Amino acid sequence: MKKKYILIALLVLAVGFAAVSTTLIINGTSIIKKNDDSFKVYYSKALVNGIEDNSVVVDDTHLAFKTTLDTLGETYVLDYDVTNSSKIYDAALTMNCTGGNEYLTVVNTFNTADNLLATDTRRGKLTLTLAKSYSGADLDVEINCTLSANAVER
């Protein structure tokens, strides 16, 4: 009879051990990438010589304007806002302005050293100054400022 109880006890222990010592194996693949749909940095506002004029905002990353400077020292001032509408990414900004010549001085003041925080707006200023008098036919000078942004983890 004792053998029967020992055999039953061993059987119960074996079943109990098998029930508790289960191995769980999970296989899978995960892809981690940025959410491009939630990242947008754009020119949001423009002021020409202190008056709001959003017509100079061509698209998210370009401004276009036309002005005439004919008096020595005359200036054209374009204040612009750059907005990061993302809620999850900060933006590392670069801006490259080209143009100007010996008659026209172009100064762009915009902070690209610090990241533009998510949902923030930063103001910049583009100033054109007639630095030297010009006596020839009208001279068109093309100024190009290109804004580019890269998403940065918060």
Side-chain angles (χ1 to χ4, degrees):
M1 188 77 146
K2 280 187 170 186
K3 277 187 168 184
K4 189 176 180 182
Y5 286 121
I6 292 174
L7 196 56
I8 291 173
L10 284 174
L11 185 63
V12 169
L13 283 174
V15 170
F17 179 76
V20 206
S21 64
T22 305
T23 303
L24 178 63
I25 299 173
I26 299 174
N27 290 325
T29 303
S30 178
I31 298 173
I32 300 173
K33 65 177 188 172
K34 74 176 182 173
N35 184 354
D36 288 328
D37 296 336
S38 72
F39 183 68
K40 183 176 181 183
V41 176
Y42 60 96
Y43 288 112
S44 56
K45 185 177 183 182
L47 290 104
V48 176
N49 294 324
I51 300 169
E52 188 170 348
D53 182 4
N54 289 320
S55 66
V56 300
V57 179
V58 176
D59 60 31
D60 291 347
T61 60
H62 294 91
L63 300 170
F65 57 88
K66 188 171 188 173
T67 187
T68 302
L69 300 175
D70 52 15
T71 306
L72 188 62
E74 185 178 1
T75 61
Y76 174 89
V77 178
L78 174 64
D79 293 298
Y80 55 88
D81 289 346
V82 175
T83 300
N84 179 0
S85 66
S86 174
K87 294 180 182 176
I88 57 176
Y89 297 112
D90 293 341
L93 302 174
T94 57
M95 184 177 290
N96 185 24
C97 288
T98 59
N101 56 27
E102 64 181 289
Y103 301 102
L104 187 64
T105 303
V106 179
V107 177
N108 185 38
T109 308
F110 185 72
N111 179 5
T112 57
D114 299 325
N115 289 342
L116 180 59
L117 301 178
T119 69
D120 256 1
T121 299
R122 183 175 296 160
R123 172 78 38 108
K125 180 182 274 195
L126 180 67
T127 306
L128 310 178
T129 305
L130 189 61
K132 184 177 176 183
S133 59
Y134 180 71
S135 62
D138 288 352
L139 181 64
D140 288 338
V141 178
E142 190 171 317
I143 310 298
N144 292 311
C145 289
T146 305
L147 172 69
S148 59
N150 292 316
V152 176
E153 292 180 33
R154 297 188 79 189

